[in-house]
Amino acid sequence: MATTTAQPDLTVSTSDGMVQGIVVNGVRAWRGIPYAAPPVGDLRLRLPRPVQPWEGVLDAGRYGPVPPQEPGLPSMGAGRKTPMDEDCLTINVTAPLDNAPPRPVLVYFYGGGFTIGAASAAAYDGTNLVERGDVVYVCMNYRLGALGFMDFRRYSTPERPFDVNVGLADQVAALRWVQRNIAGFGGDPENVTVFGESAGGMSITALMCVPSAEGLFHRAFVQSSAPATAYGPGLPEKWAGSLIELLGVSDEEAPNALASLPAERLVKAVGRLTRKVTPESEPGALAVAPVVDGEFLPLHPIDAFRTGKAHRIPLVIGNMFREGALFDRVQDVLPTTEERIDTMFARTEPELKARVLAAYPGYPSKHAAVDVGGDVVFWLPSVQVAEGHCAYAPTWSYRFDYAPRVAGLLGIGATHGMDTPAVFGNYTTGLGRFLTLPGSKRTTVSVGNRFRGALLRFARTGNPGLWPAYGIGTRATKVFDDTDRVVQDPHRNRREAWNGYRGYR
């Protein structure tokens, strides 16, 4: 007697209309679903607006265009042939084939310094997470660069107003979409874990301090955030003025230019601003970043975490062992030279500078300077978040020390971004393939399995397991390496030396 196999349910009703997904690599996938109105025309540089509901069934079998950005590695953002468009506010969902009881939801925010990145990037394919973790995976595009993370309010006119923090607001709109719709894809809207690396991690630590994001997610797993990367008032206005100068327009011409110039012009100007201008004038700062505007983002994230004003949800936060090494080799934007470090410390007391630099043996050697830059941007503010948040909600700290053989040969060690293949289990393309070159594959995959396991346990139970929570008394930190271990208060001498440093706050 012939048997039949139940076909997976690929048609889902959302709050805006019906969508039709596909089956790919043994999972169900819906791609390119609009979660906000196209931010074009009069909606450029404005807060996201609701989607216009559609008639019929939307074909959700292809990714939507990526946000305007400079072409880069296809595995991380936009390749040279990848379609780009300002009409980019779409969301992707991946789920197991069967409609089981509601599953935990994992929502990923991609990195890229708020200037590159895309939810369609191969590095962020969630198939392994869905299959191993029995979860529903979500990733969305959000506006980048000048179109998403700069403050042009000084150029607003009654006829052409501009909003601020529109990229962060895109993320809030996407999380609201998840709350409204994820049950239809088999996800549990009451169990949403956000995770992200680099700018994705920065997004999360900022969103934890955004009042309108409260209740939209319930746990946060933060990789290599730079939580102090939020500014205002003062610097965002200065950087907006610098961008206008780079565009070659006057202040009087700025409103029309911002409203009508091709996105490519804005992208190129942001590239010059972030790679040439701010690394020398404000070393360690990022000109495209969340803005502390007093309303959408009322407080600087570090201050919000310290005073209990951040959302009191379970948090896992950690860093790579040598965050700064990648930037010194690939994208020279951190304060990793003696000249930039001197400029960075010019706004603080000489005694504090001397104390900090004494904690880095060999300074001003290149190795020590790179560690100073990586620590001040990534490690130090992540520690400050953990020590603040642990007084109000469960908090865990980790450090990713594992470096495959090829990274050691290159002299970069466990540096920024190397945990991305680990958390996704994607080792067949891009960085993952590089990290599993001969001599390292077995250990690299094993470390990745353990790291990914911590994320999945956290999403399911609210506890990553296998290491104690962070507290001021012990500062327990899980170290992921060939052999994992727990360290109490790692780099204590450095942490104490930085005490009192406020950076650009």
Side-chain angles (χ1 to χ4, degrees):
M1 181 177 181
T3 59
T4 60
T5 301
Q7 296 298 307
D9 187 2
L10 299 175
T11 304
V12 177
S13 177
T14 76
S15 54
D16 304 303
M18 302 288 288
V19 295
Q20 174 75 31
I22 59 174
V23 174
V24 57
N25 297 326
V27 296
R28 294 180 295 164
W30 296 263
R31 298 166 172 171
I33 306 171
Y35 69 84
V40 299
D42 290 343
L43 296 186
R44 178 191 265 194
L45 292 171
R46 302 304 308 277
L47 294 172
R49 302 295 199 271
V51 171
Q52 182 69 35
W54 55 83
E55 300 289 338
V57 179
L58 178 72
D59 179 2
R62 291 180 293 181
Y63 292 115
V66 306
Q69 59 192 272
E70 292 183 311
L73 294 174
S75 63
M76 302 298 289
R80 296 192 177 277
K81 296 183 180 180
T82 304
M84 290 188 204
D85 200 289
E86 288 187 61
D87 181 4
C88 62
L89 300 185
T90 61
I91 198 164
N92 310 319
V93 181
T94 307
L97 289 177
D98 64 294
N99 280 317
R103 294 175 161 101
V105 180
L106 282 170
V107 180
Y108 187 70
F109 297 92
Y110 52 73
F114 298 117
T115 59
I116 64 170
S120 54
Y124 313 135
D125 184 295
T127 300
N128 291 324
L129 287 171
V130 168
E131 290 185 330
R132 175 179 173 181
D134 196 32
V135 298
V136 174
Y137 170 71
V138 177
C139 191
M140 87 294 294
N141 286 328
Y142 56 90
R143 282 174 280 181
L144 299 169
L147 295 171
F149 286 90
M150 293 193 73
D151 185 359
F152 297 114
R153 289 176 295 173
R154 63 186 281 194
Y155 301 110
S156 287
T157 67
E159 298 76 26
R160 194 61 175 86
F162 300 122
D163 295 320
V164 68
N165 284 318
V166 297
L168 275 183
D170 291 344
Q171 297 170 355
V172 172
L175 290 168
R176 287 177 176 152
W177 184 95
V178 169
Q179 285 297 308
R180 293 194 305 270
N181 295 298
I182 205 63
F185 298 87
D188 182 357
E190 298 300 319
N191 183 5
V192 176
T193 298
V194 293
F195 70 120
E197 187 267 344
S198 195
M202 298 180 223
S203 297
I204 294 169
T205 49
L207 288 170
M208 289 181 69
C209 308
V210 170
S212 60
E214 186 170 14
L216 299 181
F217 54 97
H218 312 97
R219 296 161 188 150
F221 193 100
V222 178
Q223 304 165 239
S224 296
S225 179
T229 305
Y231 312 99
L235 283 177
E237 294 85 352
K238 174 185 176 181
W239 293 328
S242 297
L243 188 84
I244 293 301
E245 290 181 12
L246 289 168
L247 289 170
V249 300
S250 67
D251 283 2
E252 292 73 23
E253 296 168 324
N256 182 62
L258 291 169
S260 61
L261 281 177
E264 293 79 6
R265 286 276 304 278
L266 298 175
V267 167
K268 289 179 180 178
V270 162
R272 294 196 297 272
L273 178 66
T274 56
R275 291 195 298 270
K276 302 296 183 182
V277 178
T278 52
E280 305 304 329
S281 60
E282 288 88 25
L286 184 60
V288 285
V291 175
V292 184
D293 62 352
E295 296 181 8
F296 185 86
L297 182 59
L299 293 174
H300 191 281
I302 300 298
D303 297 327
F305 279 102
R306 281 179 168 168
T307 57
K309 300 295 178 59
H311 306 318
R312 299 183 180 187
I313 60 173
L315 169 67
V316 175
I317 187 167
N319 297 97
M320 302 300 294
F321 182 58
R322 296 197 72 222
E323 293 278 8
L326 175 76
F327 295 91
D328 184 59
R329 295 290 185 90
V330 177
Q331 192 170 17
D332 184 23
V333 297
L334 295 190
T336 55
T337 66
E338 187 176 5
E339 293 76 17
R340 288 184 183 174
I341 290 169
D342 285 345
T343 301
M344 180 183 75
F345 277 118
R347 54 194 294 135
T348 192
E349 301 82 8
E351 295 79 9
L352 193 154
K353 173 185 176 182
R355 186 176 73 230
V356 168
L357 297 182
Y360 292 82
Y363 185 85
S365 71
K366 189 60 176 175
H367 188 279
V370 166
D371 284 344
V372 170
D375 282 0
V376 71
V377 173
F378 296 102
W379 172 74
L380 173 66
S382 294
V383 169
Q384 292 169 337
V385 164
E387 65 187 11
H389 196 61
C390 72
Y392 304 98
T395 305
W396 291 266
S397 173
Y398 76 84
R399 193 178 74 201
F400 199 100
D401 281 21
Y402 174 71
R405 184 170 179 267
V406 65
L409 293 174
L410 292 174
I412 56 177
T415 192
H416 193 76
M418 286 189 179
D419 54 344
T420 299
V423 83
F424 281 100
N426 295 336
Y427 293 111
T428 59
T429 61
L431 179 60
R433 179 180 294 176
F434 170 78
L435 296 178
T436 52
L437 288 173
S440 298
K441 184 172 182 178
R442 178 176 295 181
T443 305
T444 299
V445 172
S446 176
V447 175
N449 286 340
R450 299 196 300 273
F451 189 60
R452 189 162 59 261
L455 168 66
L456 293 171
R457 282 191 298 274
F458 185 61
R460 191 164 297 281
T461 70
N463 187 321
L466 307 182
W467 84 91
Y470 191 89
I472 295 300
T474 61
R475 299 179 183 269
T477 300
K478 175 68 171 286
V479 175
F480 289 92
D481 206 341
D482 300 67
T483 302
D484 296 347
R485 62 192 187 279
V486 174
V487 177
Q488 309 296 330
D489 200 2
H491 291 316
R492 175 181 175 180
N493 62 326
R494 292 187 187 179
R495 177 182 59 78
E496 293 178 342
W498 283 101
N499 187 44
Y501 179 77
R502 290 185 57 81
Y504 296 98
R505 299 211 310 283

